[in-house]
Amino acid sequence: MTLHELDSPSAVETFRTSHPNALVCFSATWCGPCRSSKPTLMDLAASYESGELSHTLDLKIGIAYEHNLGDVLHSQYGVRAFPTYVLWTGSGTKEEGRVEGANFDGIKKLIERAG
């Protein structure tokens, strides 16, 4: 699977610091836009994993759900809306930016800026 399921705060930290570029979708199981955008997120992850975009940027994409993260979701990651996409570069050392809502044009622009 090319969309990495992150099931704890430590899994999110390991994921973002283990890859040169990591995009994490902070999601909620009860969120309609989160559920409806997951197939598009999976396609994007596949494109960067081994598809047509794999040669452009070493990017891994993960998803973390609110019920697995608890208060860390807000206190550590500053998530205030679902879905929220956060891109880290430099093996997790720099937050490149974030997009709130299922705005894939905005997500693609964020990724392009990082590349």
Side-chain angles (χ1 to χ4, degrees):
M1 173 181 248
T2 55
L3 180 61
H4 302 267
E5 299 273 344
L6 310 172
D7 61 2
S8 68
S10 62
V12 173
E13 283 304 298
T14 299
F15 181 77
R16 76 179 187 93
T17 58
S18 298
H19 303 292
N21 305 290
L23 178 71
V24 176
C25 171
F26 292 99
S27 189
T29 54
W30 47 262
C31 168
C34 300
R35 287 194 309 269
S36 65
S37 65
K38 188 173 180 182
T40 305
L41 185 63
M42 292 174 74
D43 290 345
L44 185 64
S47 294
Y48 278 98
E49 187 80 24
S50 59
E52 73 267 7
L53 297 174
S54 61
H55 67 282
T56 61
L57 182 67
D58 184 3
L59 176 69
K60 303 299 183 209
I61 300 176
I63 188 166
Y65 291 98
E66 92 294 346
H67 64 272
N68 291 326
L69 299 180
D71 291 338
V72 169
L73 186 65
H74 307 289
S75 64
Q76 187 169 342
Y77 300 113
V79 173
R80 291 173 177 70
F82 296 110
T84 294
Y85 301 85
V86 181
L87 177 63
W88 284 280
T89 58
S91 296
T93 60
K94 179 183 180 200
E95 182 181 313
E96 194 67 38
R98 59 180 55 215
V99 173
E100 292 182 346
N103 174 359
F104 280 92
D105 287 337
I107 294 164
K108 289 175 184 176
K109 287 177 185 171
L110 178 61
I111 293 168
E112 287 170 11
R113 271 198 335 245

